[in-house]
Amino acid sequence: MRITVFRRLMADEFGATRAEMLAKDHVLSGLDGRTVEEALEAGVSAKEIWKQVCTEFEVPAERR
């Protein structure tokens, strides 16, 4: 998954402003205690990050 697709999915699910805030500030346990931005910088795939976001925020399967 491309990062641009990931960012679009985040914005579609949470709204553009909240998606940005979550990416910068919310620590995800499934990403070893990193934020989305930290995980991306560390080289974690956007697909894996999206899976963790969906799990943590209980995104329904049809929108994953």
Side-chain angles (χ1 to χ4, degrees):
M1 171 186 299
R2 293 180 183 255
I3 293 173
T4 54
V5 172
F6 168 76
R7 297 223 187 261
R8 181 179 46 81
L9 289 169
M10 288 283 290
D12 288 350
E13 185 63 33
F14 301 107
T17 302
R18 185 167 182 230
E20 277 187 49
M21 180 194 70
L22 290 173
K24 291 178 183 175
D25 299 329
H26 188 84
V27 174
L28 297 161
S29 59
L31 296 175
D32 297 325
R34 292 182 280 203
T35 66
V36 166
E37 295 298 336
E38 291 169 339
L40 286 170
E41 288 177 22
V44 179
S45 75
K47 184 176 182 177
E48 181 59 32
I49 296 169
W50 179 242
K51 287 180 186 178
Q52 294 302 320
V53 168
C54 289
T55 298
E56 183 132 342
F57 289 95
E58 299 177 350
V59 174
E62 63 271 7
R63 294 197 308 260
R64 290 182 180 213

Short mmCIF file of all heavy atoms in Angstrom, two decimals:
data_model
loop_
_atom_site.label_atom_id
_atom_site.label_comp_id
_atom_site.label_asym_id
_atom_site.label_seq_id
_atom_site.Cartn_x
_atom_site.Cartn_y
_atom_site.Cartn_z
N MET A 1 0.85 -1.17 0.00
CA MET A 1 0.00 0.00 0.00
C MET A 1 0.90 1.24 0.00
O MET A 1 1.85 1.32 0.77
CB MET A 1 -0.88 -0.01 1.26
CG MET A 1 -1.66 1.25 1.48
SD MET A 1 -2.58 1.32 3.05
CE MET A 1 -3.68 -0.05 2.90
N ARG A 2 0.56 2.17 -0.84
CA ARG A 2 1.31 3.43 -0.89
C ARG A 2 0.91 4.32 0.28
O ARG A 2 -0.22 4.23 0.77
CB ARG A 2 1.02 4.16 -2.19
CG ARG A 2 1.55 3.44 -3.41
CD ARG A 2 1.23 4.23 -4.66
NE ARG A 2 1.66 3.52 -5.82
CZ ARG A 2 2.75 3.85 -6.52
NH1 ARG A 2 3.48 4.88 -6.16
NH2 ARG A 2 3.10 3.14 -7.55
N ILE A 3 1.83 5.15 0.69
CA ILE A 3 1.55 6.07 1.80
C ILE A 3 0.41 7.01 1.44
O ILE A 3 -0.42 7.34 2.30
CB ILE A 3 2.82 6.82 2.22
CG1 ILE A 3 3.82 5.83 2.81
CG2 ILE A 3 2.51 7.93 3.22
CD1 ILE A 3 5.19 6.42 3.12
N THR A 4 0.32 7.42 0.18
CA THR A 4 -0.78 8.31 -0.22
C THR A 4 -2.13 7.62 -0.06
O THR A 4 -3.11 8.26 0.36
CB THR A 4 -0.61 8.80 -1.67
OG1 THR A 4 -0.45 7.66 -2.54
CG2 THR A 4 0.58 9.72 -1.81
N VAL A 5 -2.20 6.34 -0.36
CA VAL A 5 -3.43 5.58 -0.18
C VAL A 5 -3.74 5.47 1.31
O VAL A 5 -4.89 5.66 1.74
CB VAL A 5 -3.33 4.18 -0.83
CG1 VAL A 5 -4.53 3.32 -0.48
CG2 VAL A 5 -3.17 4.31 -2.33
N PHE A 6 -2.72 5.18 2.11
CA PHE A 6 -2.90 5.10 3.55
C PHE A 6 -3.46 6.41 4.10
O PHE A 6 -4.41 6.42 4.88
CB PHE A 6 -1.56 4.77 4.22
CG PHE A 6 -1.58 4.95 5.71
CD1 PHE A 6 -2.21 4.02 6.52
CD2 PHE A 6 -1.00 6.06 6.29
CE1 PHE A 6 -2.25 4.19 7.90
CE2 PHE A 6 -1.03 6.24 7.66
CZ PHE A 6 -1.66 5.30 8.47
N ARG A 7 -2.88 7.53 3.70
CA ARG A 7 -3.34 8.84 4.20
C ARG A 7 -4.78 9.11 3.77
O ARG A 7 -5.56 9.68 4.53
CB ARG A 7 -2.41 9.94 3.73
CG ARG A 7 -1.00 9.76 4.29
CD ARG A 7 -0.43 11.06 4.77
NE ARG A 7 0.95 10.93 5.16
CZ ARG A 7 1.37 10.78 6.41
NH1 ARG A 7 0.50 10.72 7.39
NH2 ARG A 7 2.65 10.69 6.69
N ARG A 8 -5.14 8.69 2.56
CA ARG A 8 -6.53 8.86 2.11
C ARG A 8 -7.48 8.03 2.94
O ARG A 8 -8.55 8.49 3.35
CB ARG A 8 -6.67 8.50 0.62
CG ARG A 8 -8.09 8.68 0.10
CD ARG A 8 -8.23 8.34 -1.37
NE ARG A 8 -7.60 7.10 -1.78
CZ ARG A 8 -8.12 5.89 -1.62
NH1 ARG A 8 -9.29 5.74 -1.04
NH2 ARG A 8 -7.48 4.83 -2.04
N LEU A 9 -7.10 6.78 3.23
CA LEU A 9 -7.93 5.92 4.07
C LEU A 9 -8.11 6.52 5.46
O LEU A 9 -9.22 6.50 6.02
CB LEU A 9 -7.32 4.52 4.18
CG LEU A 9 -7.36 3.66 2.94
CD1 LEU A 9 -6.49 2.42 3.12
CD2 LEU A 9 -8.79 3.27 2.61
N MET A 10 -7.04 7.05 6.02
CA MET A 10 -7.12 7.70 7.34
C MET A 10 -8.08 8.88 7.30
O MET A 10 -8.94 9.02 8.17
CB MET A 10 -5.73 8.17 7.79
CG MET A 10 -4.77 7.08 8.20
SD MET A 10 -5.10 6.41 9.84
CE MET A 10 -4.62 7.78 10.89
N ALA A 11 -7.95 9.72 6.29
CA ALA A 11 -8.82 10.90 6.17
C ALA A 11 -10.27 10.50 5.94
O ALA A 11 -11.18 11.11 6.51
CB ALA A 11 -8.33 11.80 5.03
N ASP A 12 -10.49 9.48 5.15
CA ASP A 12 -11.86 9.01 4.90
C ASP A 12 -12.49 8.46 6.18
O ASP A 12 -13.67 8.68 6.43
CB ASP A 12 -11.88 7.91 3.83
CG ASP A 12 -11.60 8.44 2.43
OD1 ASP A 12 -11.58 9.68 2.23
OD2 ASP A 12 -11.39 7.60 1.53
N GLU A 13 -11.70 7.78 6.98
CA GLU A 13 -12.23 7.15 8.19
C GLU A 13 -12.41 8.14 9.34
O GLU A 13 -13.40 8.08 10.05
CB GLU A 13 -11.31 6.00 8.63
CG GLU A 13 -11.82 5.20 9.80
CD GLU A 13 -13.12 4.48 9.51
OE1 GLU A 13 -13.36 4.04 8.37
OE2 GLU A 13 -13.92 4.34 10.46
N PHE A 14 -11.45 9.03 9.52
CA PHE A 14 -11.46 9.89 10.71
C PHE A 14 -11.67 11.37 10.43
O PHE A 14 -11.81 12.15 11.37
CB PHE A 14 -10.13 9.73 11.46
CG PHE A 14 -9.85 8.32 11.89
CD1 PHE A 14 -8.89 7.56 11.25
CD2 PHE A 14 -10.56 7.73 12.92
CE1 PHE A 14 -8.62 6.25 11.64
CE2 PHE A 14 -10.31 6.42 13.32
CZ PHE A 14 -9.34 5.69 12.68
N GLY A 15 -11.68 11.75 9.16
CA GLY A 15 -11.70 13.17 8.81
C GLY A 15 -10.26 13.66 8.73
O GLY A 15 -9.39 13.17 9.46
N ALA A 16 -10.02 14.62 7.86
CA ALA A 16 -8.64 15.05 7.59
C ALA A 16 -7.93 15.57 8.83
O ALA A 16 -6.78 15.18 9.11
CB ALA A 16 -8.63 16.11 6.49
N THR A 17 -8.58 16.41 9.60
CA THR A 17 -7.93 17.01 10.76
C THR A 17 -7.64 15.97 11.84
O THR A 17 -6.52 15.90 12.37
CB THR A 17 -8.80 18.14 11.35
OG1 THR A 17 -9.02 19.11 10.32
CG2 THR A 17 -8.13 18.79 12.53
N ARG A 18 -8.63 15.15 12.15
CA ARG A 18 -8.42 14.13 13.19
C ARG A 18 -7.39 13.10 12.74
O ARG A 18 -6.59 12.63 13.54
CB ARG A 18 -9.73 13.45 13.54
CG ARG A 18 -9.57 12.47 14.69
CD ARG A 18 -10.88 12.01 15.27
NE ARG A 18 -10.64 11.12 16.40
CZ ARG A 18 -11.20 9.94 16.55
NH1 ARG A 18 -12.08 9.49 15.67
NH2 ARG A 18 -10.92 9.18 17.59
N ALA A 19 -7.39 12.74 11.46
CA ALA A 19 -6.42 11.77 10.95
C ALA A 19 -5.00 12.29 11.15
O ALA A 19 -4.11 11.54 11.57
CB ALA A 19 -6.68 11.48 9.48
N GLU A 20 -4.77 13.56 10.86
CA GLU A 20 -3.44 14.15 11.07
C GLU A 20 -3.05 14.12 12.54
O GLU A 20 -1.92 13.79 12.88
CB GLU A 20 -3.42 15.59 10.57
CG GLU A 20 -3.17 15.73 9.10
CD GLU A 20 -2.99 17.18 8.71
OE1 GLU A 20 -2.20 17.90 9.37
OE2 GLU A 20 -3.65 17.60 7.75
N MET A 21 -4.01 14.48 13.40
CA MET A 21 -3.75 14.48 14.84
C MET A 21 -3.41 13.08 15.33
O MET A 21 -2.44 12.88 16.07
CB MET A 21 -4.96 15.02 15.60
CG MET A 21 -4.77 15.06 17.10
SD MET A 21 -6.30 15.32 18.00
CE MET A 21 -7.13 13.76 17.71
N LEU A 22 -4.19 12.09 14.91
CA LEU A 22 -3.94 10.71 15.32
C LEU A 22 -2.57 10.24 14.85
O LEU A 22 -1.84 9.58 15.59
CB LEU A 22 -5.02 9.78 14.78
CG LEU A 22 -6.41 9.92 15.38
CD1 LEU A 22 -7.40 9.05 14.62
CD2 LEU A 22 -6.41 9.56 16.84
N ALA A 23 -2.23 10.57 13.63
CA ALA A 23 -0.95 10.13 13.07
C ALA A 23 0.24 10.71 13.84
O ALA A 23 1.26 10.04 14.01
CB ALA A 23 -0.85 10.52 11.59
N LYS A 24 0.09 11.91 14.33
CA LYS A 24 1.20 12.57 15.03
C LYS A 24 1.23 12.27 16.53
O LYS A 24 2.31 12.24 17.12
CB LYS A 24 1.10 14.08 14.84
CG LYS A 24 1.37 14.53 13.44
CD LYS A 24 1.20 16.01 13.30
CE LYS A 24 1.39 16.42 11.84
NZ LYS A 24 1.13 17.84 11.64
N ASP A 25 0.06 12.09 17.15
CA ASP A 25 -0.01 12.07 18.60
C ASP A 25 -0.41 10.74 19.24
O ASP A 25 -0.06 10.49 20.39
CB ASP A 25 -0.99 13.13 19.10
CG ASP A 25 -0.59 14.53 18.70
OD1 ASP A 25 0.63 14.79 18.59
OD2 ASP A 25 -1.48 15.38 18.51
N HIS A 26 -1.15 9.90 18.56
CA HIS A 26 -1.68 8.69 19.18
C HIS A 26 -0.66 7.55 19.11
O HIS A 26 -0.24 7.16 18.03
CB HIS A 26 -2.99 8.27 18.52
CG HIS A 26 -3.67 7.16 19.26
ND1 HIS A 26 -4.48 7.39 20.34
CD2 HIS A 26 -3.63 5.83 19.09
CE1 HIS A 26 -4.93 6.23 20.80
NE2 HIS A 26 -4.42 5.26 20.05
N VAL A 27 -0.29 7.04 20.26
CA VAL A 27 0.66 5.92 20.34
C VAL A 27 -0.12 4.62 20.21
O VAL A 27 -1.10 4.39 20.91
CB VAL A 27 1.43 5.97 21.69
CG1 VAL A 27 2.30 4.73 21.85
CG2 VAL A 27 2.26 7.24 21.77
N LEU A 28 0.31 3.78 19.29
CA LEU A 28 -0.34 2.50 19.03
C LEU A 28 0.47 1.37 19.63
O LEU A 28 1.65 1.19 19.29
CB LEU A 28 -0.50 2.29 17.52
CG LEU A 28 -1.40 3.31 16.82
CD1 LEU A 28 -1.14 3.32 15.33
CD2 LEU A 28 -2.85 3.00 17.10
N SER A 29 -0.14 0.60 20.50
CA SER A 29 0.57 -0.50 21.14
C SER A 29 1.04 -1.54 20.12
O SER A 29 2.10 -2.13 20.28
CB SER A 29 -0.30 -1.15 22.22
OG SER A 29 -1.50 -1.64 21.66
N GLY A 30 0.26 -1.76 19.08
CA GLY A 30 0.62 -2.73 18.05
C GLY A 30 1.78 -2.30 17.18
O GLY A 30 2.30 -3.09 16.38
N LEU A 31 2.20 -1.05 17.34
CA LEU A 31 3.37 -0.55 16.60
C LEU A 31 4.53 -0.30 17.55
O LEU A 31 5.32 0.61 17.36
CB LEU A 31 3.00 0.74 15.85
CG LEU A 31 1.95 0.60 14.76
CD1 LEU A 31 1.59 1.96 14.18
CD2 LEU A 31 2.41 -0.33 13.66
N ASP A 32 4.59 -1.13 18.58
CA ASP A 32 5.68 -1.04 19.57
C ASP A 32 5.73 0.33 20.25
O ASP A 32 6.81 0.87 20.51
CB ASP A 32 7.03 -1.37 18.94
CG ASP A 32 7.11 -2.79 18.43
OD1 ASP A 32 6.50 -3.68 19.07
OD2 ASP A 32 7.76 -3.02 17.39
N GLY A 33 4.56 0.88 20.53
CA GLY A 33 4.50 2.14 21.26
C GLY A 33 4.88 3.35 20.43
O GLY A 33 5.30 4.36 20.97
N ARG A 34 4.74 3.24 19.11
CA ARG A 34 5.06 4.36 18.23
C ARG A 34 3.79 4.99 17.69
O ARG A 34 2.74 4.35 17.63
CB ARG A 34 5.92 3.89 17.04
CG ARG A 34 7.29 3.45 17.45
CD ARG A 34 8.08 3.04 16.25
NE ARG A 34 7.67 1.68 15.88
CZ ARG A 34 8.40 0.84 15.18
NH1 ARG A 34 9.57 1.21 14.72
NH2 ARG A 34 7.97 -0.36 14.91
N THR A 35 3.90 6.22 17.25
CA THR A 35 2.81 6.86 16.53
C THR A 35 2.88 6.40 15.08
O THR A 35 3.86 5.79 14.65
CB THR A 35 2.95 8.40 16.57
OG1 THR A 35 4.11 8.79 15.85
CG2 THR A 35 2.97 8.94 18.00
N VAL A 36 1.86 6.73 14.31
CA VAL A 36 1.85 6.42 12.88
C VAL A 36 3.07 7.05 12.21
O VAL A 36 3.79 6.40 11.44
CB VAL A 36 0.55 6.91 12.22
CG1 VAL A 36 0.65 6.91 10.70
CG2 VAL A 36 -0.63 6.07 12.67
N GLU A 37 3.30 8.33 12.49
CA GLU A 37 4.43 9.03 11.86
C GLU A 37 5.77 8.38 12.23
O GLU A 37 6.63 8.21 11.37
CB GLU A 37 4.43 10.51 12.25
CG GLU A 37 3.23 11.28 11.73
CD GLU A 37 3.11 11.32 10.22
OE1 GLU A 37 4.12 11.17 9.50
OE2 GLU A 37 1.97 11.49 9.73
N GLU A 38 5.93 8.02 13.49
CA GLU A 38 7.17 7.36 13.92
C GLU A 38 7.33 6.01 13.24
O GLU A 38 8.45 5.65 12.83
CB GLU A 38 7.18 7.19 15.43
CG GLU A 38 7.31 8.49 16.20
CD GLU A 38 7.05 8.36 17.69
OE1 GLU A 38 6.38 7.38 18.12
OE2 GLU A 38 7.51 9.24 18.41
N ALA A 39 6.24 5.27 13.10
CA ALA A 39 6.31 3.96 12.45
C ALA A 39 6.67 4.11 10.98
O ALA A 39 7.49 3.35 10.45
CB ALA A 39 4.98 3.23 12.62
N LEU A 40 6.08 5.09 10.30
CA LEU A 40 6.42 5.32 8.90
C LEU A 40 7.90 5.67 8.75
O LEU A 40 8.58 5.14 7.88
CB LEU A 40 5.56 6.44 8.31
CG LEU A 40 4.11 6.08 8.01
CD1 LEU A 40 3.31 7.32 7.68
CD2 LEU A 40 4.01 5.06 6.89
N GLU A 41 8.39 6.54 9.62
CA GLU A 41 9.80 6.93 9.58
C GLU A 41 10.72 5.74 9.86
O GLU A 41 11.84 5.68 9.34
CB GLU A 41 10.08 8.05 10.58
CG GLU A 41 9.50 9.38 10.17
CD GLU A 41 9.72 10.47 11.21
OE1 GLU A 41 10.64 10.34 12.04
OE2 GLU A 41 8.95 11.44 11.17
N ALA A 42 10.24 4.80 10.67
CA ALA A 42 11.04 3.62 11.01
C ALA A 42 10.99 2.55 9.92
O ALA A 42 11.64 1.52 10.02
CB ALA A 42 10.57 3.03 12.34
N GLY A 43 10.18 2.78 8.88
CA GLY A 43 10.12 1.85 7.77
C GLY A 43 9.03 0.80 7.85
O GLY A 43 9.01 -0.14 7.05
N VAL A 44 8.13 0.93 8.82
CA VAL A 44 7.00 0.00 8.90
C VAL A 44 6.10 0.26 7.70
O VAL A 44 5.86 1.41 7.32
CB VAL A 44 6.22 0.20 10.22
CG1 VAL A 44 5.02 -0.74 10.29
CG2 VAL A 44 7.13 0.00 11.41
N SER A 45 5.61 -0.80 7.08
CA SER A 45 4.79 -0.63 5.88
C SER A 45 3.46 0.04 6.21
O SER A 45 2.89 -0.16 7.29
CB SER A 45 4.53 -1.98 5.21
OG SER A 45 3.57 -2.72 5.94
N ALA A 46 2.99 0.83 5.28
CA ALA A 46 1.71 1.53 5.45
C ALA A 46 0.58 0.52 5.65
O ALA A 46 -0.36 0.77 6.42
CB ALA A 46 1.43 2.43 4.25
N LYS A 47 0.67 -0.62 4.98
CA LYS A 47 -0.36 -1.65 5.13
C LYS A 47 -0.41 -2.18 6.56
O LYS A 47 -1.50 -2.34 7.13
CB LYS A 47 -0.08 -2.80 4.15
CG LYS A 47 -1.14 -3.87 4.15
CD LYS A 47 -0.86 -4.91 3.09
CE LYS A 47 -1.95 -5.96 3.06
NZ LYS A 47 -1.72 -6.94 1.99
N GLU A 48 0.73 -2.44 7.16
CA GLU A 48 0.79 -2.92 8.54
C GLU A 48 0.27 -1.85 9.50
O GLU A 48 -0.45 -2.16 10.45
CB GLU A 48 2.21 -3.33 8.92
CG GLU A 48 2.33 -3.85 10.33
CD GLU A 48 1.46 -5.07 10.63
OE1 GLU A 48 1.22 -5.89 9.74
OE2 GLU A 48 1.02 -5.18 11.79
N ILE A 49 0.63 -0.62 9.25
CA ILE A 49 0.15 0.48 10.10
C ILE A 49 -1.36 0.59 10.00
O ILE A 49 -2.05 0.73 11.02
CB ILE A 49 0.83 1.81 9.73
CG1 ILE A 49 2.34 1.72 9.99
CG2 ILE A 49 0.21 2.97 10.50
CD1 ILE A 49 3.14 2.87 9.41
N TRP A 50 -1.90 0.49 8.79
CA TRP A 50 -3.35 0.57 8.61
C TRP A 50 -4.05 -0.56 9.37
O TRP A 50 -5.06 -0.34 10.02
CB TRP A 50 -3.72 0.55 7.13
CG TRP A 50 -5.20 0.59 6.88
CD1 TRP A 50 -5.95 -0.37 6.27
CD2 TRP A 50 -6.11 1.63 7.25
NE1 TRP A 50 -7.27 0.01 6.24
CE2 TRP A 50 -7.40 1.24 6.84
CE3 TRP A 50 -5.97 2.85 7.89
CZ2 TRP A 50 -8.53 2.02 7.03
CZ3 TRP A 50 -7.10 3.64 8.08
CH2 TRP A 50 -8.35 3.22 7.66
N LYS A 51 -3.49 -1.76 9.33
CA LYS A 51 -4.06 -2.89 10.08
C LYS A 51 -4.11 -2.57 11.57
O LYS A 51 -5.11 -2.86 12.24
CB LYS A 51 -3.24 -4.16 9.85
CG LYS A 51 -3.41 -4.80 8.50
CD LYS A 51 -2.54 -6.05 8.42
CE LYS A 51 -2.55 -6.66 7.06
NZ LYS A 51 -1.66 -7.83 6.99
N GLN A 52 -3.05 -1.99 12.10
CA GLN A 52 -3.00 -1.67 13.52
C GLN A 52 -3.98 -0.56 13.87
O GLN A 52 -4.63 -0.61 14.92
CB GLN A 52 -1.58 -1.27 13.93
CG GLN A 52 -0.58 -2.39 13.83
CD GLN A 52 -0.96 -3.59 14.69
OE1 GLN A 52 -1.45 -3.44 15.81
NE2 GLN A 52 -0.75 -4.77 14.17
N VAL A 53 -4.09 0.44 13.02
CA VAL A 53 -5.06 1.52 13.24
C VAL A 53 -6.47 0.94 13.26
O VAL A 53 -7.28 1.25 14.15
CB VAL A 53 -4.94 2.62 12.16
CG1 VAL A 53 -6.11 3.58 12.21
CG2 VAL A 53 -3.62 3.38 12.31
N CYS A 54 -6.77 0.08 12.30
CA CYS A 54 -8.11 -0.52 12.22
C CYS A 54 -8.42 -1.35 13.46
O CYS A 54 -9.54 -1.31 13.97
CB CYS A 54 -8.22 -1.39 10.97
SG CYS A 54 -8.27 -0.44 9.45
N THR A 55 -7.44 -2.09 13.94
CA THR A 55 -7.64 -2.90 15.13
C THR A 55 -7.89 -2.02 16.35
O THR A 55 -8.84 -2.22 17.09
CB THR A 55 -6.41 -3.81 15.38
OG1 THR A 55 -6.26 -4.68 14.26
CG2 THR A 55 -6.55 -4.61 16.65
N GLU A 56 -7.02 -1.04 16.54
CA GLU A 56 -7.11 -0.19 17.73
C GLU A 56 -8.40 0.63 17.77
O GLU A 56 -9.00 0.82 18.81
CB GLU A 56 -5.90 0.74 17.81
CG GLU A 56 -5.92 1.58 19.05
CD GLU A 56 -4.59 1.59 19.78
OE1 GLU A 56 -3.74 0.72 19.55
OE2 GLU A 56 -4.43 2.50 20.59
N PHE A 57 -8.84 1.11 16.61
CA PHE A 57 -10.02 1.96 16.56
C PHE A 57 -11.28 1.21 16.13
O PHE A 57 -12.32 1.82 15.87
CB PHE A 57 -9.78 3.18 15.66
CG PHE A 57 -8.82 4.16 16.28
CD1 PHE A 57 -7.48 4.12 15.97
CD2 PHE A 57 -9.26 5.09 17.19
CE1 PHE A 57 -6.58 5.00 16.55
CE2 PHE A 57 -8.39 5.99 17.77
CZ PHE A 57 -7.04 5.93 17.46
N GLU A 58 -11.17 -0.11 16.05
CA GLU A 58 -12.30 -0.98 15.72
C GLU A 58 -13.03 -0.55 14.45
O GLU A 58 -14.25 -0.42 14.41
CB GLU A 58 -13.27 -1.07 16.91
CG GLU A 58 -12.62 -1.65 18.14
CD GLU A 58 -13.51 -1.69 19.36
OE1 GLU A 58 -14.61 -1.11 19.36
OE2 GLU A 58 -13.09 -2.35 20.34
N VAL A 59 -12.24 -0.32 13.41
CA VAL A 59 -12.80 0.02 12.10
C VAL A 59 -13.50 -1.22 11.57
O VAL A 59 -12.92 -2.31 11.56
CB VAL A 59 -11.68 0.48 11.13
CG1 VAL A 59 -12.23 0.70 9.73
CG2 VAL A 59 -11.01 1.74 11.67
N PRO A 60 -14.76 -1.09 11.15
CA PRO A 60 -15.51 -2.25 10.64
C PRO A 60 -14.78 -2.90 9.44
O PRO A 60 -14.13 -2.22 8.65
CB PRO A 60 -16.84 -1.65 10.19
CG PRO A 60 -16.98 -0.39 10.98
CD PRO A 60 -15.59 0.13 11.16
N ALA A 61 -14.92 -4.19 9.34
CA ALA A 61 -14.23 -4.97 8.31
C ALA A 61 -14.48 -4.45 6.90
O ALA A 61 -13.57 -4.47 6.07
CB ALA A 61 -14.64 -6.44 8.41
N GLU A 62 -15.67 -3.97 6.61
CA GLU A 62 -15.96 -3.52 5.26
C GLU A 62 -15.20 -2.22 4.88
O GLU A 62 -15.15 -1.86 3.72
CB GLU A 62 -17.47 -3.31 5.05
CG GLU A 62 -18.11 -2.26 5.91
CD GLU A 62 -18.62 -2.77 7.25
OE1 GLU A 62 -18.37 -3.93 7.60
OE2 GLU A 62 -19.27 -1.98 7.94
N ARG A 63 -14.62 -1.55 5.87
CA ARG A 63 -13.85 -0.33 5.58
C ARG A 63 -12.35 -0.53 5.78
O ARG A 63 -11.58 0.41 5.69
CB ARG A 63 -14.35 0.82 6.46
CG ARG A 63 -15.77 1.22 6.12
CD ARG A 63 -16.14 2.59 6.65
NE ARG A 63 -15.88 2.80 8.06
CZ ARG A 63 -16.81 2.73 9.01
NH1 ARG A 63 -18.05 2.42 8.71
NH2 ARG A 63 -16.49 2.98 10.26
N ARG A 64 -11.95 -1.75 6.02
CA ARG A 64 -10.51 -2.01 6.22
C ARG A 64 -9.79 -2.16 4.93
O ARG A 64 -10.25 -2.57 3.96
CB ARG A 64 -10.32 -3.26 7.08
CG ARG A 64 -10.75 -3.02 8.50
CD ARG A 64 -10.51 -4.23 9.35
NE ARG A 64 -10.94 -3.91 10.72
CZ ARG A 64 -10.39 -4.37 11.79
NH1 ARG A 64 -9.41 -5.22 11.70
NH2 ARG A 64 -10.83 -4.03 12.97
#
